[in-house]
Amino acid sequence: MLLPLVLVLALTPPTAAVTVPGAEHQQLARLADLTTTGTTVSGHTDPADWAGLTSAALPVPAAVPGIQIDGYFPDTSRTNTNHGWHDSQFVLRLPDRWNGGLVVTGAPGVREQYANDRAISDWVLSRGYAFAATDKGNTGAQFYRDGRAMEEWNHRFTQLTIAARAAVTQRYGRAPRRTIATGISNGGYLVRWQLENRAHLYDGGVDWEGTLWTVAGPNPLTFLPPVLRAYPAYLAGDPSAHAAMVAAGFPAGTEFLWDYHYRYYWDLTQRILREEFDPGFDGELEAGIPFCASGTPSCDADYSYAARRRIAGPSIAPVALTGKVKKPLLTVHGTYDVLLPISQDSDVYAAMTPDRLHRYYRIEQGTHTDGLVDAYPDRLRPLAPCHRSAFVALEGWLDGIDPPRSATVPRPNDVATCPLS
């Protein structure tokens, strides 16, 4: 049995020239600290990119010295303006003390390549992993302008994985003996898709509330429109509207989260995702009419995926998930997620995946973004500790130790921990 990676740290030789194959441009910097404590000061991260994704209490590890490579692959779209560059930007971090592993991530939502720096990069670097992240090839609320944008997400993740493995080999003189895919939300979707379609590149993955896309449904276009119709009626006191919210997958007990998600997530997410897959629904409009009332012409609150499946389905098909993962995958998802409700997402995906390759942890009182834990510390708990527990469980699984079986994980007394069994 191999020793856990965290126990086999090795001091690497002085930095040599490292290049990322296929990159159109790259900049290498030796940094005294690759964690967000150091990169925030040196300008090698963008705090706005990871704002709101973690709770304030999430610890930052001690300094991790090493080299960082920022760059981009050839692309023609320009939604990501970091550094004054175009899209398909990446960041690669190579710690001096390397454990032989590589972690590859993609940005959640429509954020940029630094979005996982606090939630994932800091911690895996402290364990000795090299870390790579992509902006997925397009960013921002108008990502759909890139054309078949979500298909590009998967391509860019694969592209970075191949290039990062080569760069790691240059840096340390040997190929990574372990490559792990992980990510949050849309980044979790990428993990699922890679382990279904490009599994030979990875040893396993950890999926943090990945988005589920299926042609038949469910998918976000099936559960967001009913919520957009019901929520204004719920605010107006219509008792049937509450039942409609719950029926759409948004459980009783999460009402305190609904207004925030209506204002900042549900409406925008529905419109931009629908524009990606069904741009003709609203005619000449682009991404519909914000916060339109049901009954307004071309209103996304009245969008019916069932009625439009003949049009939207073929666009979803190339990015759809099947559940047929070919490498070990662990999923963590909060029961209080009211952007990607668990009953419409990971519960369904777990039923699609083979038991021998999937472990699924339903995290009680976890919600979609850990930043909300600071506003509701008594009603929510962070998912970052659960992601870390799942990651450690994957390490053990790859070393021959079967991880805890799938379970609903109750809230512990100390939410900085997350026992999975």
Side-chain angles (χ1 to χ4, degrees):
M1 179 185 300
L2 296 173
L3 290 174
L5 284 171
V6 71
L7 299 180
V8 295
L9 291 170
L11 190 63
T12 60
T15 303
V18 181
T19 58
V20 178
E24 183 177 21
H25 178 76
Q26 53 197 301
Q27 295 179 175
L28 184 150
R30 164 154 286 283
L31 302 177
D33 185 7
L34 294 169
T35 77
T36 51
T37 299
T39 56
T40 298
V41 175
S42 68
H44 288 85
T45 187
D46 180 4
D49 206 13
W50 36 267
L53 292 180
T54 59
S55 63
L58 185 69
V60 180
V64 178
I67 64 174
Q68 175 164 319
I69 303 174
D70 293 283
Y72 53 84
F73 294 106
D75 201 351
T76 57
S77 57
R78 295 183 174 274
T79 59
N80 186 348
T81 58
N82 257 320
H83 311 294
W85 298 343
H86 60 59
D87 291 348
S88 299
Q89 295 185 36
F90 63 84
V91 58
L92 175 62
R93 298 190 175 104
L94 305 168
D96 287 347
R97 292 182 63 86
W98 183 53
N99 68 5
L102 168 65
V103 171
V104 185
T105 73
V110 289
R111 298 185 186 226
E112 298 164 354
Q113 70 271 22
Y114 302 114
N116 290 318
D117 283 6
R118 274 284 280 128
I120 299 174
S121 177
D122 281 353
W123 186 73
V124 299
L125 287 169
S126 75
R127 295 175 65 80
Y129 285 91
F131 171 84
T134 172
D135 68 0
K136 309 194 300 291
N138 42 73
T139 65
Q142 296 174 328
F143 80 100
Y144 51 80
R145 289 182 173 180
D146 202 13
R148 301 172 69 177
M150 284 185 62
E151 291 184 51
E152 184 177 0
W153 293 2
N154 294 313
H155 165 67
R156 296 300 180 183
F157 198 103
T158 301
Q159 179 183 45
L160 179 61
T161 300
I162 295 170
R165 286 173 58 87
V168 164
T169 302
Q170 292 176 42
R171 170 66 180 94
Y172 301 108
R174 56 190 172 97
R177 73 177 183 91
R178 182 166 293 174
T179 302
I180 294 173
T182 192
I184 307 168
S185 190
N186 283 338
Y189 155 78
L190 293 171
V191 175
R192 296 174 176 182
W193 193 94
Q194 294 291 315
L195 295 191
E196 291 182 13
N197 298 278
R198 303 290 184 269
H200 64 284
L201 296 173
Y202 309 95
D203 295 278
V206 182
D207 153 31
W208 180 340
E209 66 196 17
T211 312
L212 178 61
W213 286 101
T214 65
V215 173
N219 61 55
L221 300 184
T222 65
F223 58 76
L224 287 174
V227 169
L228 292 175
R229 289 194 300 273
Y231 185 68
Y234 166 75
L235 287 180
D238 181 350
S240 66
H242 185 273
M245 297 285 293
V246 174
F250 299 78
T254 63
E255 293 88 350
F256 68 101
L257 295 169
W258 291 356
D259 192 64
Y260 178 86
H261 283 77
Y262 176 70
R263 293 174 183 271
Y264 296 105
Y265 282 113
W266 296 338
D267 180 77
L268 177 64
T269 301
Q270 163 63 26
R271 289 186 294 102
I272 64 177
L273 291 178
R274 193 268 307 147
E275 189 71 19
E276 166 72 358
F277 294 115
D278 190 358
F281 168 75
D282 56 358
E284 296 301 315
L285 296 174
E286 183 177 290
I289 306 166
F291 300 102
C292 53
S294 177
T296 304
S298 301
C299 182
D300 273 272
D302 294 322
Y303 185 80
S304 169
Y305 179 74
R308 302 282 298 184
R309 178 178 166 182
R310 181 179 60 83
I311 297 169
S315 297
I316 291 175
V319 302
L321 296 169
T322 65
K324 297 177 181 178
V325 296
K326 301 174 183 69
K327 290 292 177 66
L329 173 67
L330 294 91
T331 295
V332 295
H333 201 131
T335 61
Y336 279 14
D337 191 326
V338 292
L339 177 57
L340 302 177
I342 193 168
S343 66
Q344 303 299 303
D345 191 290
S346 293
D347 285 357
V348 178
Y349 191 66
M352 296 164 58
T353 55
D355 289 343
R356 66 182 183 86
L357 289 175
H358 192 222
R359 299 292 181 270
Y360 175 37
Y361 306 107
R362 306 175 84 252
I363 311 301
E364 288 189 343
Q365 295 183 298
T367 194
H368 197 73
T369 52
D370 277 5
L372 287 171
V373 174
D374 298 331
Y376 303 103
D378 297 327
R379 292 191 272 184
L380 298 174
R381 47 93 68 87
L383 283 176
C386 302
H387 172 264
R388 294 175 179 186
S389 292
F391 193 101
V392 172
L394 175 63
E395 291 176 324
W397 198 359
L398 297 178
D399 286 333
I401 304 170
D402 195 31
R405 290 289 167 174
S406 304
T408 296
V409 180
R411 180 189 179 111
N413 291 330
D414 179 6
V415 296
T417 66
C418 187
L420 296 179
S421 58

